[in-house]
Amino acid sequence: MLPLDAAAYTNRWRPRHPGEKAFLSLGLLVCAVALPPWPGALLVGAVAAALLLGPAGVRPGQAWRVLSVPLGFVTVGSLPLLVAVGGTPWIRFEPAGLPLALELAARATAALLSLLLFAATTPLSDTLPRLARLGVPAAVTEVATLIYRMLFLLLDSVHAVREAQASRLGFRTWSTSYRSLSAQGGAIFVRAFDRARRLEDGLALRGYSGSLRVEVEQRPVSRPFVAASAVLLGAVVGGTLALRGVMG
């Protein structure tokens, strides 16, 4: 299981209605994008991280495994702002780009934490069936569900093929490693194609008529949670504007 899915199924907010968590998470995301990066991004990021590790109950190790790769993209995306091209020397460090790079990194990190607050507390199986009520076409949600399912099958295939190759000393040298990787790609493609064909046959034998009907667990929306979320979002906006006024 992927770290994000493990966190989504084991956190304390798992029984809550996805709409409650979406309201809070998307509200923080809007604040991260719309408010000034200083101190708005810091405040939004701190609130999202506190909720994620505190009331939601996501373990720090789980959160770091999920965040490490996106934070790498944020870092790489901010570095070009520190470089100037042209003149003498042709490539040089640009001190004027440092504030812009920090603002970009802070805003992106705050937005990332806001999205993670929803993704790490809500399994995709709870979200996709409810999207039809919002007007999303059934074909879109069904394709997303099938892709989500096939992703885990592909990961299982990669793990099985890699273990078999390692048991046969397929990664002993550079040449054998390259040969094993090429064979691995071919084997995984054949497995994925075969699983997709069997999945299609299974749906046809079960009388698939264009829609997959699944039972959705009924969960009431907690009005106190929504009200507390609205108060918290208002406090974030008010605190950011107040601190902005104090800072200048």
Side-chain angles (χ1 to χ4, degrees):
M1 181 178 288
L2 298 176
L4 183 60
D5 290 277
Y9 279 99
T10 58
N11 68 90
R12 287 196 291 265
W13 280 3
R14 167 75 168 84
R16 290 195 172 277
H17 193 284
E20 305 172 11
K21 295 175 281 189
F23 174 74
L24 176 59
S25 176
L26 295 180
L28 289 173
L29 177 62
V30 171
C31 291
V33 174
L35 294 176
W38 306 112
L42 293 179
L43 189 57
V44 171
V47 169
L51 291 173
L52 188 67
L53 301 178
V58 177
R59 296 193 299 271
Q62 288 179 319
W64 173 247
R65 283 195 294 272
V66 175
L67 281 171
S68 56
V69 174
L71 284 178
F73 282 101
V74 171
T75 303
V76 173
S78 303
L79 290 179
L81 296 175
L82 303 178
V83 179
V85 179
T88 305
W90 187 64
I91 298 179
R92 64 187 185 278
F93 171 72
E94 180 57 57
L98 182 58
L100 295 177
L102 292 176
E103 289 181 2
L104 173 63
R107 195 186 291 275
T109 303
L112 177 62
L113 287 169
S114 301
L115 289 177
L116 183 63
L117 181 62
F118 178 80
T121 57
T122 311
L124 199 61
S125 58
D126 288 352
T127 306
L128 290 177
R130 291 179 168 86
L131 292 179
R133 301 176 182 177
L134 300 178
V136 178
V140 175
T141 59
E142 290 171 7
V143 169
T145 302
L146 293 176
I147 292 176
Y148 179 68
R149 173 59 180 163
M150 290 298 296
L151 175 63
F152 290 97
L153 295 177
L154 285 177
L155 291 176
D156 289 340
S157 298
V158 171
H159 183 69
V161 172
R162 188 173 183 84
E163 277 194 344
Q165 290 176 331
S167 300
R168 294 171 174 81
L169 302 180
F171 299 97
R172 183 170 53 88
T173 62
W174 284 105
S175 59
T176 57
S177 297
Y178 287 133
R179 193 182 309 117
S180 296
L181 287 174
S182 61
Q184 184 182 105
I188 293 170
F189 174 79
V190 173
R191 283 181 173 226
F193 190 83
D194 180 64
R195 287 180 181 272
R197 180 184 57 79
R198 286 189 289 169
L199 180 61
E200 181 182 8
D201 292 342
L203 290 174
L205 292 173
R206 288 169 175 81
Y208 177 69
S209 58
S211 63
L212 296 173
R213 297 185 179 274
V214 296
E215 184 178 357
V216 181
E217 182 181 356
Q218 298 297 326
R219 295 175 182 171
V221 177
S222 174
R223 294 184 179 180
F225 185 90
V226 175
S229 299
V231 171
L232 178 60
L233 294 175
V236 169
V237 174
T240 299
L241 297 179
L243 290 175
R244 184 74 172 179
V246 171
M247 293 171 60

